[in-house]
Amino acid sequence: MAEDVSIPFGPRRVGLDVATVIGLIGGFGLIIAAIVLGGSPGSFVNPPSVLIVIGGTLAVTTMCCSITEMGSTFRIALMTLFYSRRDPSEAALQVLRIAEVARRRGVLALQGSVDSLGNEPFLQKGLSMVVDGTPGEEVEQIMRRDLQATVQRHARSTSVLRRMAEFAPAMGLIGTLIGLVQMLGNLKDPETIGPSMAVALLTTFYGAVLANMVFMPLASKLERNSNEEALVNNIYVMGASSIGRQENPRRLEMLINSILPPPQRVQYFD
Amino acid sequence: MAEDVSIPFGPRRVGLDVATVIGLIGGFGLIIAAIVLGGSPGSFVNPPSVLIVIGGTLAVTTMCCSITEMGSTFRIALMTLFYSRRDPSEAALQVLRIAEVARRRGVLALQGSVDSLGNEPFLQKGLSMVVDGTPGEEVEQIMRRDLQATVQRHARSTSVLRRMAEFAPAMGLIGTLIGLVQMLGNLKDPETIGPSMAVALLTTFYGAVLANMVFMPLASKLERNSNEEALVNNIYVMGASSIGRQENPRRLEMLINSILPPPQRVQYFD
Amino acid sequence: MAEDVSIPFGPRRVGLDVATVIGLIGGFGLIIAAIVLGGSPGSFVNPPSVLIVIGGTLAVTTMCCSITEMGSTFRIALMTLFYSRRDPSEAALQVLRIAEVARRRGVLALQGSVDSLGNEPFLQKGLSMVVDGTPGEEVEQIMRRDLQATVQRHARSTSVLRRMAEFAPAMGLIGTLIGLVQMLGNLKDPETIGPSMAVALLTTFYGAVLANMVFMPLASKLERNSNEEALVNNIYVMGASSIGRQENPRRLEMLINSILPPPQRVQYFD
Amino acid sequence: MAEDVSIPFGPRRVGLDVATVIGLIGGFGLIIAAIVLGGSPGSFVNPPSVLIVIGGTLAVTTMCCSITEMGSTFRIALMTLFYSRRDPSEAALQVLRIAEVARRRGVLALQGSVDSLGNEPFLQKGLSMVVDGTPGEEVEQIMRRDLQATVQRHARSTSVLRRMAEFAPAMGLIGTLIGLVQMLGNLKDPETIGPSMAVALLTTFYGAVLANMVFMPLASKLERNSNEEALVNNIYVMGASSIGRQENPRRLEMLINSILPPPQRVQYFD
Amino acid sequence: MAEDVSIPFGPRRVGLDVATVIGLIGGFGLIIAAIVLGGSPGSFVNPPSVLIVIGGTLAVTTMCCSITEMGSTFRIALMTLFYSRRDPSEAALQVLRIAEVARRRGVLALQGSVDSLGNEPFLQKGLSMVVDGTPGEEVEQIMRRDLQATVQRHARSTSVLRRMAEFAPAMGLIGTLIGLVQMLGNLKDPETIGPSMAVALLTTFYGAVLANMVFMPLASKLERNSNEEALVNNIYVMGASSIGRQENPRRLEMLINSILPPPQRVQYFD
């Protein structure tokens, strides 16, 4: 009967986040197409300008926080590309399925489920504590502490990304001002005015692209994913601690539905 | 006496929303007139610029959320054109009329009303539950859950539209910067400066038009309609659950008036 | 003794609002003087530009709300020109005077006062209900519902005016972009560059003038007047319901002073 | 022993506010130096531009409020130049000194202190009520009403100054647009382009100077001084009412310290 | 056994703050490199422009507050360069170690620890009060008052830095307007247009650099450090008062963990 308990497909489908990838590729594709069709794509690549905008934004943002925070922000931002959305309804059904098994055949029967939950380490950790006989209150406390730590880490990364979205256009403006002052100081050769101004504008261009097409969308996405993950993990906390307390799974269903948004509520028991 | 119960005209008059349509046609009409009177309307149509601004805004907004959310936002935004305003006072009177019938001739006498409520599916669903004998508390709980789901879906669409209103001018700026850099790199032929700059400015123009004449007004309208619909549906929830609980219709009138804005309060019973 | 009760001068002096009129005339006078002294006032009048900015702002704002709301906003905004400020202290003294008469000579003695209150319809309506024998609680409830409806109507108009103050400069920018694109497309005749740019800038000028010298000050003024009127009407509600409940006028004075700003508190009884 | 009671130096040292004066002179000094060193200071003085920016800002701000409010704002803003900072610790010590005298030698012994408090009229008024035998509760109520009126008057002036800081750059932009349109309409004489543009930019310059170097700093300063004055006056209210209630001065010290910021707390009794 | 108590390394490692220094050097390094590589670094140094932006920003900010506040802001801002981050976990472990010693060998055994706490003066002061026999409640009250004073001083400095970040670009704009007006008034010599405009733009450049690369990051950093220091000092207050009240160190551990962010919680007692 152990097959009944193993979960065929979990709520987290690892893979590329379609919306983020489509948005990134679509947006940058349009920009690059417009540049290439314009004839001279080379004039849009200027390593010193890239350095001023990207390097300057990183430097100024580093001043605001610490090097550790910068690192974790990049790791977390990168994960928004590769983590697919998680489905709270499926997580709820999975938890209810496990709770029913525990109810009918005892907590020790969950050992098989625990082993098969490799792609849901948070639930796995909680359930293995339950199987080991940790009381439900303690399971809840430990899991909730973990959950809170993740939410805090994400919130800090979101605020670092938002700060970058503010500093990038400012560094772009600073770079353009440098270019303009240099150009205006050498007005004697009118031939060079155009190309010099073009180079001066590049930093403003880079700053606008970085802020509006990278940092701001990533910050919004991260906030969204963090809320979604917190919701799923909250369901896991409720499930593991309810099993640990040997409560009726119907009460668990009611409890989980109270935190689910209405369209995602589940009805597992008749 | 069943004719007494059937409702001659409902509170929701389906059709075009006059204000939205007048605003859209008036605004775009003025812009187009100014362009045509200026002599060369062709210079305002530039497919690559349209692609950068509209495509870029869609791409970047998609990054922030999910493809499902983008789709539902467009569906809901489109509905602001075709849904007419709903009159809470009429909805209140209709509910009170039905409640009086139920009081005088019993809940089963409502079957005729339920059948004639095709254009108010939310009230219809609630009343048919009442006729089927579902207790008032359960009717209220189920309807309120539905109502909450609609409000949440609208709020998410409003925030997506507001985000588009922020990204559209940013994409317009990015497009203009691309055009300026391309023009400045090819300053040799002075004849082309004017037309090139005109094309470069087009993306800024498109971005300003999209944000101020489409996305922002639609977001405001959607918020407004959502509040109005929630008010009407709230009245329906109150009505159906009050009938289900077999309360005095005078108490229902008092209850409904407490959530209606003062100028729209009703006085059905003497 | 009826003369003792009739009120020689009321708290609301109808006439022009001096501050609004001085501000409007002074501001526009300075702008017009600067234009006329500059030599060619004709170049500042351009009907198509006026249409784009004013028509466009109206169209876009209409999209956000309904045609009824637009109409009531204009009516209310116009009233800020002609309604003079209302003096809460005088309103308080007037109410206390009437309350004293009612206390000394009975409620029926107020018939004369009611007839002479033509320029304070809200108080008149309340007192005539009292004279007709309506109980104080009901008088208060009906008047407070009226008061709330007025405040809500004003708040909606203020928000419509604030939205116009946001859309006017946006429409000005859109008009200028149209003009610039048209000018840049016809660069061959250098003679026309100046006048074309002048016309293009006119919409920006109109938008800035409308937003900063009309919509924003009117919205602030309306908010201010609405607060003042609500204060005066609140005093009337307190007065009429206190007389209806046949309370001691000294208690009424204390009550009124508790909602008056300190510098406007009154001392009618010794 | 009356000398023991008279206060050698009060907490309010009347004179110029050093920070405001240094800031004003320093800021304007730098601007004027830059203008004079540039060679032609005359080109920065343009009476019509001054009229548009200053007159226009005043006109538009007057529309938002009333003429009385405008007058009191100027009087209060001027006072930030001449009122020196007030020291809450000294005010606390002074009040405690007086309270000790009242405790040891009776309330009537305060007559001498009251006479010597000419430069602290608020405390003087409160104490003279106490000496006249007014009960402590009434003294507190009357003083607190006064205190509240002052705070409200200052808050209104601060908001008028902040509104001016918003309108000044807007009027500057309007003036510059007028100048640009006039210049562009008369492009035939290329000699006049430069000076015309210089004049057009002057209103933007005036607007930026007024907003950032006068209105905004004065509003911040006023807010700060108002908080400080309210703190000192709060101490006076506590002191006078505590003396009126004949409480133990040690209790008064504890009470005062609870509203003082930690670094300014006092220790008068051992 | 006293060695057991002396702390080998404290939670505060004095030295340069790596993130602030790297950010400052990296940011300014990139800007300077871009300027030097552009060929004429001399054209970016203009003492009058520096005076207008830096002097003007200081002057205007001084107007908003007092000279004392300006001084303390600079002292505190400088400290963000030299104070390294403080580790709350280590502070917690240190406090728990001391609490265990006090528990096992009595409060007097702490004399050695107190002497070795030279680099933690706040904890040292608290513990020496405990050793001197001050009751725990009084120790807590005195330390908490100190802590609050520090937090308030930092908050005031943060707001002064944020105000500078607002005024610096405004002074840059004012300087550029002065330069433009001067240049436009002397258009006769076309040779000087370029260099004059270059000089005019320098103030905008200085303003943008000061605001975005100095004032804003320093304000953010200061806020961050202040929160961190308050957390560490809060642990010290808890520790010293808990030792003074002779509580069980295990209860202290629980208490400290309740205010630590989850990832930094400690487990000292098995």
Side-chain angles (χ1 to χ4, degrees):
Chain A
M1 293 277 276
E3 298 85 333
D4 184 35
V5 186
S6 73
I7 303 96
F9 57 101
R12 184 200 310 220
R13 278 174 242 131
V14 180
L16 288 174
D17 181 309
V18 184
T20 308
V21 172
I22 284 184
L24 262 182
I25 292 181
F28 276 93
L30 282 165
I31 299 297
I32 290 171
I35 287 174
V36 171
L37 291 174
S40 52
S43 64
F44 281 88
V45 182
N46 186 274
S49 301
V50 175
L51 259 180
I52 286 184
V53 176
I54 299 193
T57 302
L58 292 184
V60 172
T61 314
T62 306
M63 269 183 81
C64 295
C65 51
S66 73
I67 288 161
T68 326
E69 275 175 13
M70 293 296 286
S72 85
T73 298
F74 281 109
R75 214 175 42 249
I76 289 175
L78 213 69
M79 274 161 52
T80 61
L81 284 179
F82 295 109
Y83 261 35
S84 186
R85 293 184 61 214
R86 301 175 73 184
D87 187 336
S89 303
E90 258 181 61
L93 289 174
Q94 191 178 33
V95 160
L96 290 172
R97 233 176 285 136
I98 295 171
E100 202 190 9
V101 170
R103 181 78 169 176
R104 271 195 279 140
R105 297 197 280 136
V107 161
L108 292 180
L110 295 179
Q111 190 58 53
S113 314
V114 170
D115 294 343
S116 72
L117 277 167
N119 61 341
E120 287 297 337
F122 186 68
L123 178 57
Q124 191 179 37
K125 181 182 158 200
L127 286 181
S128 72
M129 281 193 290
V130 170
V131 172
D132 292 353
T134 320
E137 282 72 26
E138 209 178 318
V139 170
E140 176 161 12
Q141 203 182 351
I142 293 170
M143 287 179 87
R144 217 166 268 296
R145 202 176 273 190
D146 251 45
L147 171 59
Q148 211 182 328
T150 309
V151 167
Q152 277 195 1
R153 217 167 43 237
H154 286 183
R156 215 172 282 178
S157 294
T158 309
S159 94
V160 170
L161 283 170
R162 286 203 197 290
R163 210 158 278 172
M164 282 184 174
E166 285 170 27
F167 283 129
M171 294 311 298
L173 171 69
I174 288 174
T176 296
L177 287 168
I178 293 178
L180 284 178
V181 170
Q182 288 172 341
M183 181 204 76
L184 290 164
N186 298 315
L187 267 189
K188 289 144 207 165
D189 186 2
E191 292 260 315
T192 64
I193 294 179
S196 301
M197 274 225 42
V199 171
L201 282 181
L202 276 185
T203 54
T204 295
F205 172 68
Y206 293 156
V209 167
L210 273 183
N212 290 294
M213 298 177 69
V214 179
F215 296 139
M216 254 158 66
L218 281 187
S220 292
K221 187 72 168 211
L222 185 48
E223 205 168 30
R224 203 193 123 80
N225 286 358
S226 177
N227 287 341
E228 211 166 60
E229 189 174 335
L231 184 62
V232 168
N233 285 349
N234 232 322
I235 292 169
Y236 290 160
V237 174
M238 282 179 166
S241 61
S242 165
I243 295 170
R245 277 193 297 266
Q246 310 200 331
E247 288 176 357
N248 189 328
R250 283 167 196 270
R251 203 179 157 270
L252 174 61
E253 186 188 60
M254 217 181 63
L255 214 69
I256 287 177
N257 274 336
S258 75
I259 66 160
L260 279 177
Q264 297 183 308
R265 278 170 194 159
V266 294
Q267 191 149 17
Y268 182 72
F269 297 104
D270 47 281
Chain B
M1 293 278 275
E3 299 84 334
D4 185 35
V5 185
S6 73
I7 301 96
F9 57 100
R12 183 200 310 219
R13 278 173 243 132
V14 179
L16 287 175
D17 181 309
V18 185
T20 307
V21 172
I22 284 185
L24 261 183
I25 293 181
F28 275 94
L30 282 165
I31 298 297
I32 291 171
I35 287 174
V36 171
L37 290 174
S40 52
S43 64
F44 282 87
V45 182
N46 186 274
S49 301
V50 174
L51 259 180
I52 287 185
V53 177
I54 299 193
T57 303
L58 293 184
V60 172
T61 315
T62 305
M63 269 183 82
C64 296
C65 51
S66 73
I67 288 162
T68 327
E69 274 176 14
M70 293 296 286
S72 85
T73 298
F74 282 109
R75 215 177 42 250
I76 289 175
L78 212 69
M79 273 162 51
T80 61
L81 285 178
F82 296 109
Y83 261 34
S84 187
R85 294 184 60 214
R86 301 175 73 184
D87 187 337
S89 303
E90 258 180 62
L93 289 174
Q94 191 178 31
V95 160
L96 290 172
R97 232 175 285 136
I98 295 171
E100 202 190 9
V101 170
R103 180 79 169 176
R104 271 195 280 138
R105 297 195 282 137
V107 161
L108 292 179
L110 295 180
Q111 190 57 54
S113 314
V114 170
D115 294 343
S116 71
L117 277 167
N119 61 341
E120 288 298 337
F122 186 67
L123 178 58
Q124 191 179 36
K125 181 183 159 199
L127 286 181
S128 72
M129 281 193 291
V130 170
V131 172
D132 293 352
T134 320
E137 282 71 26
E138 208 178 318
V139 171
E140 176 160 13
Q141 203 183 350
I142 293 169
M143 287 179 86
R144 216 165 269 296
R145 201 175 273 190
D146 250 45
L147 171 58
Q148 209 181 329
T150 309
V151 168
Q152 277 194 1
R153 217 167 45 236
H154 287 184
R156 215 171 282 178
S157 294
T158 309
S159 95
V160 170
L161 283 170
R162 285 203 197 290
R163 209 157 279 174
M164 283 183 174
E166 285 170 26
F167 283 129
M171 294 311 298
L173 172 69
I174 288 173
T176 297
L177 287 169
I178 293 177
L180 283 178
V181 170
Q182 288 173 340
M183 181 204 77
L184 290 165
N186 299 313
L187 267 188
K188 288 144 207 166
D189 184 2
E191 290 262 312
T192 64
I193 294 179
S196 301
M197 274 224 42
V199 171
L201 282 181
L202 275 185
T203 54
T204 296
F205 171 68
Y206 293 155
V209 168
L210 273 183
N212 290 294
M213 299 178 69
V214 179
F215 296 139
M216 255 158 66
L218 281 186
S220 292
K221 187 70 167 212
L222 185 48
E223 205 168 31
R224 205 193 121 82
N225 286 359
S226 178
N227 287 340
E228 211 167 59
E229 189 173 334
L231 184 62
V232 168
N233 285 349
N234 233 322
I235 292 169
Y236 290 159
V237 174
M238 281 178 167
S241 62
S242 165
I243 294 170
R245 276 193 297 264
Q246 310 200 331
E247 289 176 354
N248 190 328
R250 283 166 197 272
R251 203 180 158 269
L252 175 60
E253 185 188 61
M254 217 181 63
L255 214 70
I256 287 177
N257 274 336
S258 75
I259 67 159
L260 279 177
Q264 296 183 308
R265 279 172 192 156
V266 294
Q267 191 148 19
Y268 182 72
F269 297 104
D270 48 279
Chain C
M1 294 278 275
E3 300 84 333
D4 185 35
V5 184
S6 73
I7 302 96
F9 56 101
R12 183 201 312 218
R13 278 172 242 134
V14 180
L16 288 175
D17 180 310
V18 185
T20 307
V21 172
I22 284 185
L24 262 183
I25 293 181
F28 276 93
L30 282 165
I31 298 297
I32 291 170
I35 287 174
V36 171
L37 290 175
S40 52
S43 64
F44 281 88
V45 182
N46 185 273
S49 301
V50 174
L51 259 180
I52 286 185
V53 176
I54 299 193
T57 303
L58 293 184
V60 172
T61 315
T62 306
M63 269 183 81
C64 296
C65 51
S66 73
I67 287 161
T68 327
E69 274 176 15
M70 292 297 286
S72 86
T73 298
F74 282 110
R75 216 177 40 250
I76 289 175
L78 212 70
M79 274 162 51
T80 62
L81 285 179
F82 296 109
Y83 262 33
S84 187
R85 294 184 60 215
R86 302 176 72 184
D87 188 336
S89 303
E90 259 181 61
L93 290 174
Q94 191 178 32
V95 160
L96 290 172
R97 234 177 283 136
I98 295 171
E100 202 190 8
V101 170
R103 180 79 170 176
R104 272 196 278 139
R105 298 197 279 136
V107 161
L108 292 179
L110 294 180
Q111 190 59 53
S113 314
V114 170
D115 293 343
S116 71
L117 277 168
N119 61 341
E120 288 297 337
F122 186 67
L123 178 58
Q124 192 179 36
K125 182 183 157 198
L127 285 181
S128 73
M129 281 192 292
V130 171
V131 172
D132 292 352
T134 320
E137 282 71 25
E138 209 179 318
V139 171
E140 177 161 12
Q141 203 183 350
I142 293 170
M143 288 178 85
R144 215 165 270 297
R145 202 176 274 189
D146 251 46
L147 171 59
Q148 210 182 329
T150 310
V151 167
Q152 277 194 2
R153 217 167 46 237
H154 286 184
R156 217 172 281 178
S157 294
T158 308
S159 95
V160 170
L161 283 170
R162 285 202 198 292
R163 210 158 278 174
M164 282 183 173
E166 285 170 26
F167 283 128
M171 294 310 299
L173 171 69
I174 289 173
T176 297
L177 287 168
I178 294 177
L180 284 178
V181 170
Q182 288 174 339
M183 182 204 74
L184 291 164
N186 300 313
L187 266 189
K188 289 145 207 163
D189 184 3
E191 290 262 313
T192 64
I193 294 179
S196 301
M197 274 223 42
V199 172
L201 282 182
L202 276 185
T203 53
T204 295
F205 172 68
Y206 293 156
V209 167
L210 273 182
N212 291 294
M213 300 178 68
V214 180
F215 296 139
M216 254 157 66
L218 282 186
S220 292
K221 186 71 166 212
L222 185 48
E223 204 168 31
R224 205 194 120 82
N225 287 359
S226 178
N227 287 340
E228 212 166 58
E229 190 173 334
L231 184 62
V232 167
N233 284 349
N234 233 322
I235 292 170
Y236 290 159
V237 174
M238 281 178 167
S241 63
S242 165
I243 294 170
R245 277 193 296 265
Q246 310 201 332
E247 290 177 356
N248 189 328
R250 285 168 195 271
R251 203 179 158 270
L252 175 61
E253 186 188 60
M254 216 181 63
L255 215 68
I256 287 176
N257 274 337
S258 76
I259 66 158
L260 279 177
Q264 297 183 308
R265 278 170 193 158
V266 294
Q267 191 148 19
Y268 181 71
F269 297 104
D270 49 278
Chain D
M1 295 277 276
E3 300 85 332
D4 185 33
V5 185
S6 73
I7 302 96
F9 55 101
R12 184 200 312 217
R13 276 172 244 134
V14 180
L16 288 174
D17 181 310
V18 185
T20 308
V21 172
I22 284 185
L24 262 182
I25 293 181
F28 276 93
L30 282 166
I31 298 296
I32 291 170
I35 287 173
V36 171
L37 290 175
S40 52
S43 65
F44 281 87
V45 182
N46 185 274
S49 301
V50 174
L51 259 180
I52 286 185
V53 176
I54 300 194
T57 303
L58 292 183
V60 172
T61 316
T62 306
M63 269 182 82
C64 296
C65 51
S66 73
I67 288 161
T68 327
E69 275 176 14
M70 292 297 287
S72 86
T73 297
F74 281 109
R75 217 178 39 251
I76 288 175
L78 212 69
M79 274 162 51
T80 61
L81 284 180
F82 296 109
Y83 261 33
S84 187
R85 294 184 61 214
R86 302 175 73 184
D87 188 337
S89 302
E90 260 181 59
L93 290 173
Q94 192 178 32
V95 160
L96 290 173
R97 235 176 283 135
I98 295 171
E100 202 190 9
V101 170
R103 180 79 170 176
R104 271 195 279 138
R105 297 197 280 136
V107 161
L108 293 178
L110 295 181
Q111 189 59 53
S113 315
V114 170
D115 294 342
S116 72
L117 277 168
N119 61 342
E120 288 297 336
F122 187 67
L123 178 57
Q124 193 179 35
K125 182 183 157 199
L127 286 181
S128 73
M129 280 193 292
V130 170
V131 172
D132 293 352
T134 320
E137 280 72 25
E138 210 179 317
V139 170
E140 177 161 12
Q141 203 183 351
I142 293 170
M143 288 179 85
R144 216 166 268 296
R145 203 176 273 188
D146 251 45
L147 171 58
Q148 210 182 328
T150 309
V151 167
Q152 277 194 1
R153 218 167 44 237
H154 286 184
R156 217 172 281 176
S157 295
T158 308
S159 94
V160 170
L161 283 170
R162 285 203 198 290
R163 211 159 277 171
M164 283 183 175
E166 285 170 26
F167 282 129
M171 294 311 299
L173 171 69
I174 288 174
T176 297
L177 287 168
I178 294 178
L180 284 178
V181 170
Q182 288 174 341
M183 183 205 74
L184 290 165
N186 300 312
L187 266 190
K188 289 145 207 163
D189 185 1
E191 289 263 314
T192 64
I193 295 179
S196 301
M197 273 223 44
V199 171
L201 282 181
L202 276 185
T203 53
T204 295
F205 173 67
Y206 293 156
V209 167
L210 273 182
N212 290 295
M213 299 178 68
V214 179
F215 296 139
M216 254 157 67
L218 281 186
S220 293
K221 186 71 166 211
L222 186 47
E223 205 168 31
R224 207 193 118 82
N225 286 359
S226 178
N227 287 341
E228 212 167 58
E229 190 174 333
L231 184 62
V232 167
N233 285 349
N234 233 323
I235 292 170
Y236 290 159
V237 174
M238 282 178 167
S241 63
S242 166
I243 295 170
R245 277 193 297 263
Q246 310 200 333
E247 289 177 355
N248 189 329
R250 283 167 196 270
R251 204 181 157 268
L252 174 60
E253 186 188 62
M254 215 181 64
L255 215 68
I256 287 176
N257 274 338
S258 75
I259 67 159
L260 279 177
Q264 297 184 307
R265 279 172 193 157
V266 294
Q267 192 149 18
Y268 182 71
F269 297 105
D270 48 278
Chain E
M1 294 278 275
E3 299 85 332
D4 185 34
V5 185
S6 73
I7 302 96
F9 56 100
R12 183 200 311 218
R13 277 173 244 133
V14 180
L16 288 174
D17 181 309
V18 185
T20 308
V21 171
I22 284 185
L24 261 182
I25 292 182
F28 276 93
L30 283 165
I31 299 296
I32 291 171
I35 288 174
V36 171
L37 290 175
S40 52
S43 64
F44 282 87
V45 183
N46 185 274
S49 300
V50 175
L51 258 179
I52 287 185
V53 176
I54 299 193
T57 302
L58 293 183
V60 172
T61 315
T62 306
M63 270 183 81
C64 296
C65 52
S66 73
I67 289 162
T68 327
E69 275 176 14
M70 293 296 287
S72 86
T73 297
F74 282 109
R75 215 177 40 250
I76 289 175
L78 212 69
M79 273 163 52
T80 61
L81 284 179
F82 295 109
Y83 261 34
S84 187
R85 295 184 60 214
R86 302 175 73 184
D87 188 337
S89 303
E90 259 181 59
L93 289 175
Q94 191 178 34
V95 161
L96 290 172
R97 234 176 283 136
I98 295 171
E100 201 190 9
V101 170
R103 181 78 171 177
R104 270 195 279 138
R105 297 198 280 136
V107 161
L108 291 179
L110 295 181
Q111 190 58 55
S113 315
V114 170
D115 294 343
S116 71
L117 277 168
N119 61 342
E120 288 297 337
F122 186 66
L123 178 57
Q124 192 179 36
K125 182 183 157 199
L127 285 181
S128 72
M129 282 193 290
V130 170
V131 173
D132 292 352
T134 319
E137 281 72 25
E138 210 178 317
V139 170
E140 177 160 12
Q141 204 183 350
I142 293 170
M143 287 179 86
R144 218 165 267 296
R145 202 175 276 190
D146 250 45
L147 171 58
Q148 211 182 327
T150 309
V151 167
Q152 278 195 1
R153 218 168 44 238
H154 286 185
R156 216 172 282 178
S157 295
T158 308
S159 95
V160 170
L161 283 170
R162 285 203 198 289
R163 211 158 277 173
M164 283 184 174
E166 285 171 26
F167 282 129
M171 293 311 298
L173 171 69
I174 289 174
T176 297
L177 286 168
I178 293 178
L180 284 178
V181 171
Q182 287 174 341
M183 183 204 74
L184 290 165
N186 299 313
L187 266 189
K188 289 144 207 164
D189 185 2
E191 291 261 315
T192 64
I193 294 179
S196 300
M197 274 223 44
V199 172
L201 282 181
L202 276 186
T203 54
T204 294
F205 172 67
Y206 293 156
V209 167
L210 273 182
N212 291 295
M213 298 177 69
V214 179
F215 295 140
M216 253 157 68
L218 281 186
S220 292
K221 186 71 167 212
L222 185 48
E223 204 167 32
R224 206 193 120 81
N225 286 359
S226 178
N227 287 341
E228 211 167 59
E229 189 173 335
L231 184 62
V232 167
N233 285 349
N234 231 323
I235 292 170
Y236 290 159
V237 174
M238 282 177 167
S241 62
S242 165
I243 295 171
R245 277 194 296 266
Q246 311 200 331
E247 288 176 357
N248 189 328
R250 283 167 196 269
R251 204 180 157 268
L252 175 60
E253 185 188 61
M254 217 181 63
L255 214 67
I256 287 177
N257 274 337
S258 75
I259 66 159
L260 279 177
Q264 297 183 308
R265 278 172 193 157
V266 294
Q267 191 148 18
Y268 182 72
F269 297 105
D270 46 283

